[in-house]
């Protein structure tokens, strides 16, 4: 239990932050009506009691954060808070329409009403357009119609709603827009060819998981882009080479589209690129040509799986990938600051497969993962020895290709590796026993290759299911049922038994033949002696 009355005598208190107190106490908002000097109040994560008739005189609130407070109705007391600059009432259970008077608060700049159940806006959307908002987050609601936005808008997030139709061209007229997030809706048609023409400040453009199609034109690319997410749409054509002008680009995700192009090796020229996801498109051909640089110095996630890439990866291909070779700290939050107090953050996200499971990495978790996924292509030749340089790698997936040769024992250098998939290739030789030393390696898959010999007995390897080693004709040992050397020993035993039998017969024969000869000799002597005796007797009678 928390006694909030202890704050009532602090008449000059200007900053009060009490988020997530982990108490069953219900906080009555009327308690704070006496704190007329409050400049910032944060009660997030606590259960609030807000009477529908509650009236609070205009306070000095410039920042009010009431996120995750079990609020079910839009707080009416806010109508008089004319000094409010920053308002966050996200992650509550508020339904219905956003009240019209909210847009009339004269200096309100930041408004976060995300993660509620709003379905629309009261009054005309012109009221919103005429307001002076700079940051608006209406994501994760039930909105159907995109409102007209004020020209002062810098940050707009409307992901996870029910929007459909084409993206309004009016967005291009927001000349100082920095962040536009429209992911997880049902927008269709093409992207307006105007972001670069009219808007020169756009740095975050996320259109993930819609029904957008056509060519993503170079005119849609702002040179200031830091994060571009076009994943899970129906874009076609080539990847716009104008991205080479986006020297600040850190995040590029075009997964699950219909892009048909050669590998964009020119992306190596982007000095800040950290995440590159080309998964599930129609990219084709080799990913390396003579004279190309190997270096992707800041790349942490490299996913080109399920395309049509071919050729041999040079032994030194992964040299110069410094961010995967050593511990490098990255901050993935994208702060948008504005006059007054408060900061808005948008977290990037990306999906990947780890330990055989699909997962989504969001925000700070995304900065921890370092992965290489080249599965589902037509690569051949030896696995590049330079993979062993990527000491911070967590996921390595090279399955479903045509790699040959042996598994490099140097993979033991990947001491942070958690998932290794080399299945469905043409790898030969033995599984390096050194892999048993990788203590974090929770999942590995060597199935459908031409590996041979005993499976190493290390704890990490033996903990795998037998399916991880299946369809290797000459592989043996636990957890497979095929025992190593058992058949050979049996064969040798049978052969030895047969040899012993032959030797016994030979010995018997050797023993038998002299006996027979000796028998015949004795018999002949006896018969001769007997004949002579009879003859002597016969002559005596005669």
């Amino acid at each position: 239990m928390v006694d909030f009355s202890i704050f009532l005598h602090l008449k000059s208190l200007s900053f009060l932050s009490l988020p997530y107190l982990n108490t069953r106490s219900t906080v009555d908002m009327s308690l704070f009506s006496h704190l007329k000097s409050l400049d910032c109040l944060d009660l997030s994560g606590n259960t609030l009691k807000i009477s529908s008739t509650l009236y609070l005189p205009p306070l000095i609130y410039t920042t009010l954060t009431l996120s995750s407070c079990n609020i079910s109705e839009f707080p009416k007391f806010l109508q008089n808070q004319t000094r409010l600059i920053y308002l966050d009432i996200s992650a509550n259970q508020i339904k219905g329409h956003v009240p019209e008077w909210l847009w009339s608060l004269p200096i309100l700049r930041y408004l976060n009403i995300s993660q509620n159940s709003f379905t629309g806006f009261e009054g005309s959307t012109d009221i919103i357009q005429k307001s002076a908002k700079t940051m608006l987050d209406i994501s994760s609601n039930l909105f159907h119609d995109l409102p007209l936005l004020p020209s002062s808008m810098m940050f707009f997030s409307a992901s996870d709603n029910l929007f459909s139709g084409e993206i309004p061209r009016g967005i291009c007229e927001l000349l100082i827009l920095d962040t536009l997030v429209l992911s997880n809706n049902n927008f269709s048609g093409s992207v307006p060819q105007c972001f670069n023409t009219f808007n020169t400040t756009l740095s975050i453009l996320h259109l993930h998981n819609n029904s957008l199609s056509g060519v993503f034109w170079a005119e849609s690319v702002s040179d200031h882009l830091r994060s571009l997410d076009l994943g899970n749409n129906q874009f076609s054509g080539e990847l716009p080479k104008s991205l080479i002008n986006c020297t600040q680009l850190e995040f590029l995700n075009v997964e699950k589209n219909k892009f048909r192009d050669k590998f964009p090796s020119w992306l190596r020229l982007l000095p800040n690129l950290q995440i590159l996801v080309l998964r599930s498109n129609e990219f084709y051909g080799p990913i390396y040509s003579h004279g190309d640089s190997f270096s992707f110095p800041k790349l942490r996630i490299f996913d080109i799986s399920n395309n049509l890439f071919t050729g041999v990866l040079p032994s030194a291909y992964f040299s110069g990938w410094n961010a995967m070779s050593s511990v490098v700290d990255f901050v993935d939050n994208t702060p948008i600051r504005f006059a007054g107090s408060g900061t808005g953050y948008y977290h990037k996200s990306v999906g990947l497969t780890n330990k055989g499971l699909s997962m989504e990495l969001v925000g700070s978790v995304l900065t921890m993962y370092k992965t290489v996924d080249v599965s589902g292509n037509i690569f051949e030749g030896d696995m590049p020895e330079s993979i062993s340089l990527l000491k911070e790698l967590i996921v390595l997936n090279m399955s479903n290709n045509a790699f040959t040769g042996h598994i490099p024992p140097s993979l033991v250098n990947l001491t942070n590796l958690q998932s290794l998939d080399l299945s469905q290739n043409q790898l030969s030789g033995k599984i390096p026993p050194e892999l048993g030393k990788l203590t974090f390696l929770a999942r590995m898959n060597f199935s459908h290759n031409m590996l041979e010999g005993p499976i190493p007995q290390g704890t990490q390897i033996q903990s795998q299911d037998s399916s991880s080693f299946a369809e290797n004709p000459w592989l043996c040992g636990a957890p497979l049922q095929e025992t190593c050397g058992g058949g050979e020993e049996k064969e040798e035993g049978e052969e030895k038994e047969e040899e012993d039998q032959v030797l016994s017969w030979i010995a018997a024969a050797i023993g038998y033949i002299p006996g027979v000869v000796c028998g015949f000799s004795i018999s002949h002597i006896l018969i001769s002696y007997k004949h002579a005796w009879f003859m002597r007797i016969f002559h005596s009678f005669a």
Side-chain angles (χ1 to χ4, degrees), residues 123-142:
S124 171
T125 57
D126 290 347
I127 298 175
I128 302 176
Q129 188 179 29
K130 293 176 182 178
S131 67
K133 305 293 179 291
T134 57
M135 304 183 70
L136 177 61
D137 191 343
I138 62 172
S139 59
S140 300
N141 278 286
L142 302 172

Side-chain angles (χ1 to χ4, degrees), residues 208 229 251 253 255-256 274-280 300-306 324 348-363 365-375 392-397 418-421 443:
H208 189 91
D229 191 345
F251 180 102
N253 182 8
E255 66 176 332
K256 297 181 181 177
Q274 300 177 28
I275 295 169
L276 175 60
V277 180
L278 307 180
R279 177 175 59 230
S280 300
R300 296 180 291 108
I301 292 180
F302 180 66
D303 188 346
I304 60 172
S305 61
N306 300 316
M324 295 194 195
K348 295 184 280 289
S349 65
V350 69
L352 57 80
T353 301
N354 182 15
K355 302 178 185 177
L357 301 174
S358 296
M359 59 188 297
E360 184 178 25
L361 304 179
V362 181
V365 178
L366 182 60
T367 67
M368 299 166 55
Y369 267 79
K370 297 179 181 181
T371 71
V372 169
D373 191 342
V374 299
S375 63
E392 298 300 311
L393 202 61
I394 292 178
V395 176
L396 175 59
N397 190 347
Q418 296 180 11
S419 179
L420 173 64
D421 194 343
R443 182 184 183 273

Side-chain angles (χ1 to χ4, degrees), residues 310-484:
T310 59
V312 175
L313 296 182
S315 179
Y317 188 79
F318 294 102
S319 61
W321 294 37
N322 300 335
M324 295 194 195
S325 303
S326 57
V327 178
V328 180
D329 292 328
F330 291 95
V331 177
D332 192 56
N333 295 328
T334 303
I336 308 296
R337 299 188 182 278
F338 58 97
S341 60
T343 303
Y345 291 94
Y346 174 69
H347 297 285
K348 295 184 280 289
S349 65
V350 69
L352 57 80
T353 301
N354 182 15
K355 302 178 185 177
L357 301 174
S358 296
M359 59 188 297
E360 184 178 25
L361 304 179
V362 181
S364 59
V365 178
L366 182 60
T367 67
M368 299 166 55
Y369 267 79
K370 297 179 181 181
T371 71
V372 169
D373 191 342
V374 299
S375 63
N377 286 286
I378 320 171
F379 291 119
E380 56 188 359
D382 292 344
M383 292 174 56
E385 189 69 33
S386 56
I387 290 178
S388 62
L389 299 175
L390 310 183
K391 297 180 181 180
E392 298 300 311
L393 202 61
I394 292 178
V395 176
L396 175 59
N397 190 347
M398 305 185 78
S399 64
N400 281 281
N401 280 285
F403 287 112
T404 55
H406 293 185
I407 300 172
S410 57
L411 290 180
V412 72
N413 294 329
L414 308 183
T415 52
N416 290 306
L417 200 63
Q418 296 180 11
S419 179
L420 173 64
D421 194 343
L422 303 179
S423 63
Q424 300 191 56
N425 281 286
Q426 299 173 30
L427 297 169
S428 59
K430 297 182 178 181
I431 298 175
E434 293 89 346
L435 297 183
K437 299 177 183 178
L438 298 178
T439 54
F440 292 114
L441 189 54
R443 182 184 183 273
M444 57 192 84
N445 192 345
F446 303 103
S447 64
H448 297 271
N449 278 286
M450 295 185 291
L451 299 170
E452 62 184 25
I455 297 173
Q457 298 300 302
T459 304
Q460 296 302 106
I461 298 178
Q462 288 297 307
S463 65
Q464 303 301 306
D465 187 80
S466 60
S467 61
S468 297
F469 307 96
E471 302 302 326
N472 284 279
W474 303 290
L475 205 58
C476 59
L480 295 177
Q481 293 183 352
E482 291 80 0
T483 57
C484 295

Side-chain angles (χ1 to χ4, degrees), residues 208-330:
H208 189 91
N209 195 25
N210 281 282
S211 298
L212 298 165
S213 59
V215 175
F216 189 78
W217 298 102
E219 290 80 3
S220 302
V221 176
S222 164
D223 292 352
H224 289 77
L225 275 180
R226 284 179 288 153
S227 183
L228 177 62
D229 191 345
L230 306 177
N232 205 7
N233 281 284
Q234 300 173 35
F235 290 113
S236 57
E238 297 182 350
L239 197 66
K241 289 184 173 58
S242 55
L243 286 171
I244 200 171
N245 299 317
C246 304
T247 56
Q248 301 177 56
L249 192 66
E250 301 173 358
F251 180 102
L252 177 60
N253 182 8
V254 298
E255 66 176 332
K256 297 181 181 177
N257 279 284
K258 298 177 181 178
F259 284 109
R260 182 168 179 78
D261 198 357
K262 295 180 180 179
F263 180 72
S265 56
W266 42 267
L267 290 174
R268 295 180 186 276
L269 299 176
L270 300 179
N272 298 302
L273 189 63
Q274 300 177 28
I275 295 169
L276 175 60
V277 180
L278 307 180
R279 177 175 59 230
S280 300
N281 278 279
E282 298 173 20
F283 290 99
Y284 62 91
I287 64 173
Y288 165 79
S289 59
H290 183 70
D292 280 353
S293 166
F294 291 129
S295 180
F296 264 122
K298 291 191 176 181
L299 203 63
R300 296 180 291 108
I301 292 180
F302 180 66
D303 188 346
I304 60 172
S305 61
N306 300 316
N307 281 285
L308 302 171
F309 290 120
T310 59
V312 175
L313 296 182
S315 179
Y317 188 79
F318 294 102
S319 61
W321 294 37
N322 300 335
M324 295 194 195
S325 303
S326 57
V327 178
V328 180
D329 292 328
F330 291 95

Side-chain angles (χ1 to χ4, degrees), residues 1-22:
M1 299 292 289
V2 177
D3 183 7
F4 291 94
S5 63
I6 61 175
F7 301 107
L8 299 182
H9 67 283
L10 303 174
K11 302 297 184 181
S12 300
L13 187 65
S14 62
F15 182 93
L16 181 58
S17 181
L18 301 171
Y20 299 95
L21 293 175
N22 195 24

